[in-house]
Amino acid sequence: MSKSHVTVGYIHYPIDLEQKSKADTWAEKLLQLSYGEAKPKKKLKVLINPFGGKGMAPTYYSRYAEPILAAAGCDLDVQTTTHRGHATDIAEKLDINAYDAVVACSGDGLPYEIFNGLAKKPNAREALAKVAVGMIPSGSGNGMAMNLYGSPSVSLAALAIVKGKRMPLDLASITQGDTRTLSFLSQSFGIVAECDLGTDNIRWMGPHRFTYGFLVRLMGKTVWPCDVAVKVEVGDKQAIKDHYRAEVHKEPRLLTDTEVEELPEGLPPLRYGTVNDEIPDDWERLPGETMGNFYAGNMAWMSSDANFFPAALPNDGLLDLVTIDGTIPRLKSLSMLLAVEDGSIFDIPEAHFRKVSAYRLVPKQTEGYISIDGERVPFAPIQVEVHKGLGTVLSVSGKAYEAKGPPGTQT
Ligand SMILES: Nc1ncnc2c1ncn2[C@@H]1O[C@H](COP(=O)(O)OP(=O)(O)OP(=O)(O)O)[C@@H](O)[C@H]1O
């Protein structure tokens, strides 16, 4: 085992027959210590996207993940997705009592589909509480694996899933037109959405396409006018750091089996209505005429080299929102790009961070990009509200993301 890779190894010790019961006790104790509260021998539905990232998911899975899952005695039901939306259909029809988790061997696109498929079930809340989602990172954006397993490594993700603890995860409802979907990772408008979605022509660059796209855009248009109204819950950086310190070590309470079965049908009701309703009076209007970057994150890492939201917590019921004016000097923008990797962007004064429970964003132009979890949605108004701990994931810690918190909060 190294910091970035783990393989299966077998050790044989010949023992006398009369020592067998002692050896069995020893092995049992070792397994107990190794698994802790995590469930051993999980029943997993594995979905492989053969077109995620550079198309390597099937190879990565069979070479680096499957041997680990199989050696750990996981019960594996593997299926390859054949088209866009296939993972949503599979999750919608899934027997939620037959699996502990659905594992996406993909980028962040498949987990998004899986959450939304579970959300389509009549017993959506029960399904989202019962079936955890996990990821074997094999796409171009592997944010989920970075946050939950602390690494973009396929084999380490497999091991983390084997020993993964269930953790409730906030999910956000997005209403747009007459639709309602769920987001687990992020929503973006402005330069990040442009870099994420407007760089398909340079996919061959892999992860570098984002940086390249950013630099190209910085040379050209840098403002994306919009109207923004926000339900602010924690409004300044010091208060966010205090909130982070107070919450990061708390063990979230998982619902009991009986509580899960008694959950009401459907998704939770929307507290603030939809994008077609009046904006509540107590929401704050933010200046949007010269918006450069509007980016809301539910997790810390947005990709393996971008800890954009160092204060994000999995189940505080809040999204971390950063807004950056598009008219700030280009050199300042560049320094922010460099400060994203280690989370130090948090302390840059031009990056405004807030923790919010809901918001509305209305683009003022007719064309452009809005990204939800890296997927393109129509360029039209969206309203977003968070549901605390609605989803479930398999994680290493069971309580927090594998990311350094905002500067100054490390203990
Ligand atoms: N067999 C398939 N053919 C075409 N598209 C598919 C197939 N299976 C899944 N998809 C779609 O591929 C998209 C990307 O998936 P994924 O996140 O795995 O890859 P990625 O390379 O990280 O993402 P992206 O392409 O969004 O950067 C998802 O939206 C999913 O719906």
Side-chain angles (χ1 to χ4, degrees), residues 103-170:
V103 173
C105 191
S106 67
D108 292 314
L110 248 56
Y112 169 78
E113 287 199 9
I114 295 164
F115 283 121
N116 278 288
L118 295 172
K120 283 184 165 186
K121 283 181 169 290
N123 55 343
R125 263 188 273 191
E126 182 188 355
L128 289 160
K130 228 174 216 176
V131 181
V133 179
M135 175 199 263
I136 303 282
S138 342
S140 44
N142 301 314
M144 186 185 224
M146 280 302 293
N147 288 291
L148 302 179
Y149 317 131
S151 157
S153 154
V154 170
S155 57
L156 289 182
L159 181 63
I161 286 165
V162 162
K163 294 172 64 173
K165 294 182 194 158
R166 297 169 67 79
M167 176 169 83
L169 175 74
D170 297 340

Side-chain angles (χ1 to χ4, degrees), residues 263-302:
L263 284 167
E265 292 276 282
L267 287 171
L270 294 168
R271 282 164 293 163
Y272 307 109
T274 75
V275 70
N276 302 318
D277 295 313
E278 286 293 309
I279 295 175
D281 291 339
D282 63 340
W283 289 20
E284 196 181 309
R285 313 269 166 165
L286 303 185
E289 262 329 296
T290 55
M291 185 65 76
N293 183 12
F294 178 99
Y295 201 8
N298 192 40
M299 293 185 159
W301 295 96
M302 293 292 110

Side-chain angles (χ1 to χ4, degrees), residues 49 51-53 81-85 106-109 113 139-141 203 375:
N49 176 3
F51 295 106
T81 54
T82 57
H83 53 274
R84 183 172 276 273
S106 67
D108 292 314
E113 287 199 9
S140 44
R203 285 189 78 86
E375 304 294 311

Side-chain angles (χ1 to χ4, degrees), residues 11 21 34 54 56 59 90 106 114 121 127 130 165 192 219 224 234 259 282 308 356 362:
I11 308 172
S21 79
S34 155
K54 293 187 176 149
M56 293 299 287
T59 312
I90 295 170
S106 67
I114 295 164
K121 283 181 169 290
K130 228 174 216 176
K165 294 182 194 158
V192 169
M219 296 304 136
W224 288 270
V234 191
E259 283 172 326
D282 63 340
F308 228 114
V356 307
V362 181

Side-chain angles (χ1 to χ4, degrees), residues 216-287:
V216 168
R217 272 157 192 80
L218 210 55
M219 296 304 136
K221 174 173 134 59
T222 54
V223 298
W224 288 270
C226 57
D227 285 328
V228 180
V230 181
K231 173 89 174 132
V232 178
E233 303 293 345
V234 191
D236 73 78
K237 289 183 179 176
Q238 191 50 52
I240 292 176
K241 287 183 183 182
D242 294 343
H243 169 89
Y244 180 86
R245 272 197 212 94
E247 298 290 320
V248 69
H249 299 297
K250 282 192 188 157
E251 289 279 345
R253 192 178 84 80
L254 286 158
L255 298 180
T256 62
D257 291 349
T258 323
E259 283 172 326
V260 168
E261 266 144 38
E262 283 170 358
L263 284 167
E265 292 276 282
L267 287 171
L270 294 168
R271 282 164 293 163
Y272 307 109
T274 75
V275 70
N276 302 318
D277 295 313
E278 286 293 309
I279 295 175
D281 291 339
D282 63 340
W283 289 20
E284 196 181 309
R285 313 269 166 165
L286 303 185

